[in-house]
Amino acid sequence: MADTKVVVQNLKKSFGDNEVLKGIDMEITEGEVVCIIGPSGSGKSTFLRCLNGLEEITGGTVLVDKVDITNPKTDINKVREEIGMVFQHFNLFPHLTVSENITLAPVELKRMTKEDAHKKALDLLKTVGLSEKAEVYPNSLSGGQKQRVAIARALAMNPDIMLFDEPTSALDPEMVGEVLEVMKKLAKDGMTMVVVTHEMGFAREVGDRVIFMDGGYIVEQGTPEEVFQNTQHPRTQDFLNKVL
Ligand code: ADP
Ligand code: MG
């Protein structure tokens, strides 16, 4: 039996009067790939940010590896080191080379020596197909290459869980595939992943579970087949009709 990595119970999040998450319950098992789909504004990004403590939650609990991240006594930075995050807009440091972007966190946090971190960076760049780009600056890279570097950077901390927030939404269409390929490889290697995406093909092919969020709720979830072929809820069907 695989371990439960994340337990979310009745998670609520408001910004002022705006209740964005209205009671989310979810468990994520080690090695599982969970794809979250849903319309813009439904709370997908907020949900991801609650999983690694980037948002202070309004109610409920979030357990990561049995650690309650909402407990003020929890060292949230320690938890965050276990969770890699990849954003729509790469967020690479422009004044650092690709390898410096990747080694920054492990070296700063004294997880590795500079030499070991550099070696690991080269390994990771090989994994994402960018061996030859270690010493260039991000602005010389295409969007797809930048996003692959961002994935390598997140992996440099040896995370247990990877969160992706629309990692291909800012890319030109011809670059989407190369990023999805890297994510697919990660999934195959057993990484626990939560992926907010509009790539229904990816969700269908790589997702173990698909979650449809709307209006701050999980409206429907199941295997890709259940959600895409045997849709239960009219709101899900309506969304799928628009995006497929
Ligand atoms: P999604 O990722 O599904 O498009 P978001 O989680 O980004 O949705 O946003 C859900 C809602 O939360 C939106 O109404 C948005 O305006 C609001 N929201 C998100 N972040 C903030 C914030 N930092 N301050 C105030 N409102 C926010
Ligand atoms: Mg979003």
Side-chain angles (χ1 to χ4, degrees):
M1 262 290 279
D3 278 347
T4 302
K5 291 300 281 182
V6 179
V7 180
V8 177
Q9 285 170 326
N10 199 23
L11 168 62
K12 295 182 177 171
K13 171 66 186 174
S14 298
F15 295 103
D17 294 341
N18 184 14
E19 190 173 54
V20 171
L21 300 178
K22 297 176 179 163
I24 302 280
D25 293 291
M26 180 184 312
E27 288 198 8
I28 300 167
T29 305
E30 186 164 17
E32 196 178 15
V33 178
V34 176
C35 293
I36 303 181
I37 62 172
S40 182
S42 56
K44 306 180 299 295
S45 295
T46 303
F47 174 70
L48 274 194
R49 293 166 58 81
C50 287
L51 291 185
N52 67 353
L54 285 174
E55 297 288 353
E56 203 172 313
I57 76 175
T58 312
T61 50
V62 177
L63 307 180
V64 177
D65 273 330
K66 302 188 178 70
V67 175
D68 181 354
I69 69 163
T70 61
N71 184 331
K73 287 187 185 133
T74 298
D75 180 357
I76 188 67
N77 288 320
K78 191 115 201 309
V79 177
R80 263 188 216 138
E81 288 175 20
E82 309 289 313
I83 306 177
M85 188 150 183
V86 174
F87 304 90
Q88 190 174 340
H89 294 290
F90 332 126
N91 302 352
L92 297 175
F93 298 109
H95 60 292
L96 299 180
T97 65
V98 162
S99 77
E100 287 165 348
N101 265 278
I102 297 171
T103 57
L104 184 69
V107 171
E108 289 281 304
L109 294 166
K110 301 202 183 339
R111 284 288 201 86
M112 280 185 224
T113 64
K114 250 192 168 144
E115 292 70 40
D116 287 348
H118 191 72
K119 249 183 250 158
K120 170 137 187 152
L122 296 181
D123 274 353
L124 289 168
L125 284 172
K126 200 167 165 195
T127 306
V128 302
L130 291 170
S131 289
E132 74 288 9
K133 298 294 186 186
E135 306 312 327
V136 309
Y137 286 87
N139 65 11
S140 71
L141 300 176
S142 71
Q145 291 172 331
K146 282 181 192 161
Q147 194 59 301
R148 286 186 280 152
V149 172
I151 293 171
R153 180 177 61 175
L155 291 171
M157 288 295 289
N158 277 327
D160 278 356
I161 304 171
M162 287 281 286
L163 309 178
F164 294 86
D165 194 355
E166 298 196 31
T168 60
S169 294
L171 300 178
D172 291 334
E174 73 269 26
M175 292 171 189
V176 168
E178 66 196 55
V179 172
L180 294 180
E181 268 317 302
V182 168
M183 293 168 62
K184 212 159 113 183
K185 195 153 64 175
L186 260 185
K188 225 170 151 189
D189 288 345
M191 179 63 76
T192 307
M193 294 166 57
V194 185
V195 184
V196 174
T197 187
H198 293 296
E199 293 295 329
M200 298 302 142
F202 178 87
R204 196 189 297 245
E205 190 191 342
V206 184
D208 295 305
R209 184 152 44 114
V210 175
I211 290 180
F212 173 67
M213 272 181 74
D214 194 12
Y217 292 104
I218 292 176
V219 173
E220 178 162 356
Q221 62 174 311
T223 63
E225 187 170 289
E226 285 166 345
V227 174
F228 292 119
Q229 262 98 277
N230 193 16
T231 314
Q232 296 298 308
H233 202 290
R235 269 153 76 191
T236 316
Q237 192 59 61
D238 187 48
F239 174 77
L240 291 176
N241 289 345
K242 285 181 189 140
V243 297
L244 285 177

